[in-house]
Amino acid sequence: EALTGRGVLSRAMAALGAYRCIECNREAAELYRDYQRGVLRISICKSCQKPVDKYIEYDPVIILINAILCKAQAYRHILFNTKINIHGKLCIFCLLCEAYLRWLQLQDSSQNTDPDDLIRYAKEWDFYRMFGIASLEQTSFLVGIFITLWWMRPEMLKTKSDFILLLKALLLSSYGKLLLIPAVIWEHDYTPLCLAFIKVFVLISNSQAIRVTLNLNRVLPWLAIFFGLILENGVVYLFQKMGWDV
C-alpha cells in the first residue's frame, strides 16, 4: 500500500532522473517496478547490487528515527527519493523557536519589576527583533558554509540547482532546533546543558546533510561548518558592539 501511494510521484521523479541509491549514492532510473495487480518489486542498484531504496516500504516513524540517528541512507532517501517541500516552513518555525527562547532570556535578564517595564518587554517589537537577529545569524552561518564549499570544491556547486539542493538539505537538517521549546518549557537546572546538546546535534545533522548531498568525506563538511560558525559569531559580536542584547 505504501508503494502504491507513491506511484504518481515515482513516475514524475523518474522523468527528472532524480533518484539515488541510498547505499552507494549512484543514480537510479526507478525505485521499484510495478507489475500490476498489486505485484511490486523494489529495484536493485546496478552498482552495489543492493535495494535502491529500502525505505520506500518503511513506516515514516522508522525513517524519522533513522534520520535522528544521522544515518546517511535515511538522509539520501529524504533528500533524493522523496518530494518534501517543507524546508522553508521548517526554517521559519525553527527561527521562531529560537527567537522565542531569546525573548524569554531577555525578559528573565531584567531585574526591574516595574509593571511598565514588563509591558515593554511584552511588546511584539522585542520578539520581532530577536527573530531578525536569529535570521541574520542563520543566514551568516549558511553563507559561511557555501563560501567555504564553493572555494574548496567549486565543481560541487556548479549550478543553481546544486545550491538549492544543499540549502534544502541544510534547512531540513536543522529540525533539531524544534527541541528548543520543550527544553525551555520544562525548565530545569540542566537546561543550559540541554541547549548545548541541541546545538551540537543540529551541527552534526548539518554535517551529515552536507556529506550526503555533495558525497564528501567527513572532514570537509566540518570545515565548512567551522567557518560558518566563525561568520555567525562575527555577526553576534557586531550586534554586541552595537549594544544589542542577543
Side-chain angles (χ1 to χ4, degrees):
E1 293 181 0
L3 291 175
T4 304
R6 296 181 174 87
V8 176
L9 175 61
S10 176
R11 288 190 291 271
M13 294 186 69
L16 297 174
Y19 291 136
R20 295 283 184 89
C21 173
I22 65 171
E23 301 293 342
C24 65
N25 202 42
R26 295 294 180 88
E27 293 185 359
E30 58 186 5
L31 297 179
Y32 62 88
R33 183 159 297 180
D34 188 352
Y35 291 97
Q36 304 300 324
R37 297 181 181 180
V39 179
L40 301 168
R41 182 175 180 273
I42 297 179
S43 300
I44 301 299
C45 178
K46 296 179 180 179
S47 177
C48 64
Q49 301 302 314
K50 295 181 180 180
V52 173
D53 191 344
K54 62 183 180 181
Y55 287 113
I56 61 175
E57 59 180 359
Y58 279 34
D59 188 272
V61 176
I62 303 299
I63 299 174
L64 177 60
I65 292 174
N66 280 265
I68 291 175
L69 295 174
C70 291
K71 289 191 175 183
Q73 294 89 340
Y75 273 74
R76 291 190 184 106
H77 166 77
I78 295 171
L79 294 173
F80 298 120
N81 298 339
T82 61
K83 191 176 182 181
I84 298 180
N85 293 316
I86 63 169
H87 51 283
K89 296 179 181 178
L90 180 62
C91 176
I92 296 298
F93 194 69
C94 288
L95 289 174
L96 288 173
C97 291
E98 194 164 349
Y100 178 69
L101 172 63
R102 295 184 180 199
W103 182 80
L104 285 181
Q105 292 175 336
L106 181 65
Q107 188 176 21
D108 293 340
S109 65
S110 175
Q111 301 298 323
N112 192 341
T113 58
D114 184 86
D116 293 335
D117 190 69
L118 293 177
I119 292 175
R120 181 173 68 86
Y121 275 112
K123 289 181 179 180
E124 293 183 2
W125 164 247
D126 289 306
F127 179 78
Y128 293 147
R129 181 164 62 88
M130 292 297 105
F131 179 82
I133 292 173
S135 301
L136 287 174
E137 291 178 10
Q138 175 75 2
T139 301
S140 301
F141 176 69
L142 295 175
V143 168
I145 290 177
F146 278 106
I147 290 176
T148 304
L149 292 174
W150 182 80
W151 178 59
M152 302 193 72
R153 291 290 182 87
E155 71 277 4
M156 294 289 183
L157 298 170
K158 294 184 294 185
T159 64
K160 180 180 178 181
S161 60
D162 294 331
F163 280 94
I164 293 176
L165 180 61
L166 181 56
L167 177 61
K168 176 182 176 180
L170 288 169
L171 294 180
L172 286 175
S173 63
S174 298
Y175 66 91
K177 291 182 179 180
L178 299 178
L179 297 173
L180 291 172
I181 295 300
V184 173
I185 293 176
W186 297 319
E187 188 174 357
H188 194 273
D189 294 339
Y190 299 106
T191 296
L193 182 61
C194 291
L195 297 179
F197 275 123
I198 291 172
K199 178 69 174 180
V200 171
F201 174 72
V202 171
L203 293 178
I204 292 174
S205 299
N206 292 154
S207 172
Q208 189 72 314
I210 297 172
R211 177 171 169 253
V212 167
T213 304
L214 302 181
N215 198 26
L216 299 172
N217 56 30
R218 297 180 183 274
V219 177
L220 187 55
W222 278 112
L223 185 61
I225 287 175
F226 175 73
F227 281 104
L229 288 174
I230 290 178
L231 191 56
E232 179 184 352
N233 289 326
V235 172
V236 172
Y237 178 76
L238 179 62
F239 285 140
Q240 290 176 340
K241 291 292 288 185
M242 294 171 60
W244 289 18
D245 292 319
V246 296

